[in-house]
Amino acid sequence: GQPRRTVHTPGAWEDQAPLVGQPMWYAVYTVRDVSGTLSKKAATTSEPVLLAIEPQLTARPGDNEVELTWTVPEHARVEIQREDMSAGRLVRLPPPADGATRRTDSEVVNGQRYRYVARAIYQYEVPGGSAAVRHSNAVTRDVIPMAPPKAPGPLRVRGYATQFGLALQRVEF
């Protein structure tokens, strides 16, 4: 991005508009006198600073399936893993298609507890043309898929009128 010039008091500095998912390098110059002359050299960050925000994740249980939905910050993709809590197995789900925000995981069993772990993945270039990858902190959701309850039945509804002209219904199982 474009360099930003900000003047701050000694010992105090805060980036009011950091970029999410893009590398930032900072250079600090000193002002030598009241005329505003800057030092020739700056103190710079040796590694880029990258703000890696976590994805939003929901896991909705179904009948032998879990519906996952997510959002990720701009410049990121999502990585999701499923852990079978009873067996301790960790499985990385296939990467979603670009722009996808939902997936149905059908490789689950009703009554078992699963933990889904999602991270935002940020890939960027560093000077010299090499690629670097950073992961956000993990977001977890625990879920137990279940079959929906069976409908009550047989069901019988009886309607009748009262002496006051009200229509009532009685439901019997």
Side-chain angles (χ1 to χ4, degrees):
Q2 293 287 19
R4 296 184 295 228
R5 182 174 182 202
T6 308
V7 177
H8 294 280
T9 58
W13 179 82
E14 182 178 320
D15 190 344
Q16 295 292 320
L19 303 173
V20 174
Q22 294 186 352
M24 297 175 285
W25 286 265
Y26 293 98
V28 178
Y29 292 86
T30 58
V31 178
R32 294 190 179 203
D33 54 40
V34 291
S35 67
T37 304
L38 294 178
S39 58
K40 288 184 179 183
K41 292 190 176 193
T44 60
T45 54
S46 58
E47 294 290 323
V49 176
L50 189 121
L51 182 58
I53 295 178
E54 298 85 6
Q56 299 287 319
L57 176 68
T58 60
R60 193 182 62 141
D63 189 7
N64 285 314
E65 66 182 24
V66 175
E67 182 184 3
L68 302 166
T69 56
W70 62 85
T71 59
V72 291
E74 189 178 4
H75 308 296
R77 58 185 171 82
V78 70
E79 175 184 89
I80 302 175
Q81 296 177 327
R82 175 189 65 234
E83 182 178 0
D84 181 338
M85 301 301 286
S86 61
R89 281 192 326 263
L90 190 63
V91 175
R92 183 173 297 179
L93 300 181
D98 287 344
T101 59
R102 127 183 352 251
R103 156 179 280 140
T104 299
D105 184 6
S106 301
E107 297 182 15
V108 295
V109 176
N110 284 346
Q112 301 266 37
R113 179 181 295 276
Y114 297 92
R115 175 169 291 152
Y116 289 89
V117 180
R119 289 181 179 80
I121 310 297
Y122 298 89
Q123 187 169 357
Y124 59 97
E125 286 189 32
V126 293
S130 61
V133 176
R134 295 252 173 106
H135 297 73
S136 71
N137 291 332
V139 174
T140 62
R141 299 291 178 263
D142 288 2
V143 64
I144 301 172
M146 296 267 180
K150 294 186 192 267
L155 182 67
R156 187 169 56 175
V157 178
R158 292 184 186 183
Y160 56 95
T162 67
Q163 64 184 5
F164 304 108
L166 297 173
L168 298 177
Q169 295 179 339
R170 181 176 176 169
V171 178
E172 298 173 350
F173 297 97

